[in-house]
Amino acid sequence: MEKISNSSNDDIINQANILLHQGKFEEALILLLPYKNDKFSLPIMTLIGIAYAGCKKPKEAAYHLFSAQQLKEKSYQHVCSELEPYLGSYNLYDVIFKVFKEAFKYQPEDELLYIAYANVLQHTKQSSKAILYIKKCLKFSKKEDWLLNILATIFFEAGKYPQAFKLYKDLEQRNPNNITVLANIASYYNAINDAEQALLYYCKVIMLNPLWPAIRVNYSLCLLKAQYYYQGWAEHEYRLDTPNHTNLPRETLLPTLTKTTDIKGKKILITQEEGLGDTLMYLRFVPELIQRGAIVELWVAETMKGLCERIKGNPIVKIGGEEAPPFDWHCPFISLPRVFSADPNKVKFKPYLTAARKKINFWKKQLPQTQNLKVGIVWGGSPHPSDAYAVMTDNKRSIDLQKLIPLFRSVKNATFISLQMGHHAHEINDLPKNISIFNPMNEVKDMDDTAAIIKNIDLVISVDTSVIHLAGGLGCKAILLDRYDNCWRWISGAEYSPWYPKTRIIRQTRPRIWSDVVQRAISILQEMADKHEPRTT
């Protein structure tokens, strides 16, 4: 293939990125290869390595990624770390591991390569092997404290809290002002619900580095978890200084409203920001803006459109786009509680979502016609391989469906209906043949369909995903199967959250251990099934 003379390297890199993210690895490779010898070709060599990996050629991939690594002047992360964001979405982890195996032949004593490998192992729930590789690295590396901090974090994410805490405290003794170690200790205390110690350590870090957005966000989450809502909402605005948030002008961000703030006739654009769960949770605030006379336009994901159009006050609803319409103020969904200085303990909850009547009637005919208790089930979230934090969160919150087999086998007079979409949905195919779960999700087009199904069943059981927010917003009964280090919105030590009073919480008593959660769910669900009175038509 001849080099295209009128295309710059930037154009080629952008085109290749699009192709790689689309899983068109061979096309990307054909595009990139003529440019591999260009000057300053670090991005080209990296993408060629990724393309070779996607084509299942680990030796060629490792060679080009090694070559790219040599071109780096300063290196804080090995280029092999780039494999997972591209290949993970296509579940090509077997190829990723083969590339690492080849890469170790080129760099048998490279700390960054060991760390990159340990990260992928950790993301794929192989924490014991990740720990082993960091320990191997410690044998030849002189960067002991740095690696021990990484080792402690792997212990922490794996739920091995005592081992993690001991290492963190040893590192703190050696360097009391290491902000990374202090931040990790704060996270540890927050995970075990010791708000006083967690906030103390976050404050230590902030005093040492007050403009670190990520730590200010973590501090805000700790405040919210401790139910210091007003301070928490204010601090949480620091997330706007981190990547992948709104690029709309900060000067037109909707301010905190008082009772006398006049927004009548003002055009307010509310934008999708992070996960669907956050959007579903904060839609509750939209009617109040409309009630105060604002003209509200919602920018949301396509799957949310129908639900949002039925919000009280009938806001304008559009699929989020690139160019913003004219507006007086804009507000990401996650800033809405700050706008209203929200404290869920001071407001009586009212359902704010509705399902479409036509869809309710349609799904009523599609679901099992049974007198049993109808239970919707969700066992997994949505991991994003390009976001390490999202992957680790999903590892903690999602349950391997096999671990729920005792629930399906033990509870009598209950019919289980899958509400699972996305990454974990295939697990239903691996259940024993004598386990029956009705699966309507191949016919589900959007959240509107899921809402209609929920309105036709008696209970939703879910891990911490958007579906638990959907059930909660609809005012339907739900049980949350929650991880030990719970998200702030599921009040620590409580069985119910004021955000969704009909949602019961069953939380792990030990990090990453689901067995006791399943046993308590069996007991609660059987009691509900025994008392169940079939719906009258």
Side-chain angles (χ1 to χ4, degrees), residues 25-27 29 50-58 87 92 95:
F25 299 110
E26 288 186 15
E27 289 181 42
L29 189 59
I50 292 164
Y52 269 124
C55 294
K56 300 184 179 180
K57 295 184 177 181
L87 274 67
L92 292 172
V95 179

Side-chain angles (χ1 to χ4, degrees), residues 377-381 397-399 401 404 418 420 424-425 427-428 463:
I377 185 87
V378 180
W379 57 89
R397 68 173 170 171
S398 296
I399 304 175
L401 185 58
L404 290 174
S418 173
Q420 180 68 52
H424 297 276
E427 294 174 25
I428 201 169
V463 294

Side-chain angles (χ1 to χ4, degrees), residues 402-439:
Q402 296 284 327
K403 293 180 180 177
L404 290 174
I405 287 175
L407 180 74
F408 304 137
R409 281 193 170 144
S410 300
V411 179
K412 309 302 180 188
N413 304 319
T415 297
F416 291 95
I417 297 164
S418 173
L419 300 176
Q420 180 68 52
M421 294 282 276
H423 179 81
H424 297 276
H426 69 93
E427 294 174 25
I428 201 169
N429 301 319
D430 300 324
L431 289 173
K433 290 183 180 179
N434 61 348
I435 299 291
S436 176
I437 300 178
F438 182 78
N439 185 13

Side-chain angles (χ1 to χ4, degrees), residues 85-330:
Y86 291 92
L87 274 67
S89 299
Y90 299 95
N91 202 28
L92 292 172
Y93 281 98
D94 58 334
V95 179
I96 293 172
F97 289 129
K98 287 176 183 176
V99 175
F100 272 103
K101 184 179 178 181
E102 295 296 328
F104 278 117
K105 294 175 183 177
Y106 292 103
Q107 296 172 294
E109 293 192 353
D110 185 305
E111 293 103 337
L112 292 175
L113 184 59
Y114 275 78
I115 292 164
Y117 187 48
N119 283 337
V120 181
L121 288 168
Q122 193 180 8
H123 296 166
T124 52
K125 300 183 181 181
Q126 300 180 72
S127 57
S128 296
K129 199 171 179 181
I131 289 164
L132 177 65
Y133 267 80
I134 297 300
K135 287 182 175 178
K136 279 185 180 180
C137 191
L138 278 162
K139 290 178 181 178
F140 64 78
S141 175
K142 295 179 181 178
K143 301 174 182 177
E144 184 181 16
D145 283 7
W146 177 48
L147 288 167
L148 285 174
N149 184 57
I150 291 168
L151 180 61
T153 302
I154 295 172
F155 277 129
F156 177 71
E157 293 295 343
K160 301 177 185 295
Y161 285 4
Q163 297 96 315
F165 185 63
K166 184 180 184 305
L167 281 174
Y168 284 144
K169 292 301 284 185
D170 288 347
L171 290 166
E172 183 192 15
Q173 268 194 326
R174 277 142 65 168
N175 187 351
N177 291 326
N178 184 312
I179 57 173
T180 304
V181 171
L182 294 175
N184 286 336
I185 294 173
S187 294
Y188 163 81
Y189 279 121
N190 193 35
I192 65 168
N193 299 317
D194 188 338
E196 184 178 347
Q197 284 296 312
L199 292 171
L200 175 65
Y201 271 89
Y202 279 125
C203 287
K204 284 182 182 180
V205 179
I206 290 166
M207 283 191 289
L208 292 166
N209 188 352
L211 299 179
W212 185 7
I215 205 65
R216 299 300 289 253
V217 172
N218 288 345
Y219 175 52
S220 76
L221 297 175
C222 188
L223 286 166
L224 292 171
K225 194 172 184 181
Q227 299 188 69
Y228 297 128
Y229 290 111
Y230 305 139
Q231 301 106 303
W233 301 133
E235 281 287 322
H236 204 51
E237 296 296 86
Y238 274 96
R239 76 190 187 284
L240 301 178
D241 295 326
T242 62
N244 302 320
H245 287 273
T246 181
N247 56 4
L248 295 173
R250 195 68 65 87
E251 59 269 21
T252 53
L253 182 67
L254 186 62
T256 300
L257 302 178
T258 67
K259 289 182 180 179
T260 58
T261 306
D262 185 10
I263 57 172
K264 190 173 183 180
K266 298 293 183 184
K267 294 179 180 177
I268 301 175
L269 176 65
I270 312 293
T271 53
Q272 176 89 20
E273 187 178 356
E274 291 185 3
L276 296 178
D278 290 301
T279 300
L280 287 165
M281 181 172 178
Y282 300 133
L283 277 167
R284 70 185 71 215
F285 297 108
V286 171
E288 190 168 343
L289 289 173
I290 297 170
Q291 190 176 9
R292 292 176 68 158
I295 302 165
V296 177
E297 180 169 326
L298 307 180
W299 260 12
V300 295
E302 187 172 3
T303 189
M304 302 279 289
K305 191 171 186 292
L307 276 174
C308 292
E309 286 173 337
R310 289 189 301 278
I311 290 287
K312 188 177 180 181
N314 303 116
I316 303 163
V317 181
K318 293 185 179 176
I319 308 306
E322 294 298 323
E323 267 191 55
F327 61 84
D328 297 298
W329 301 104
H330 74 90

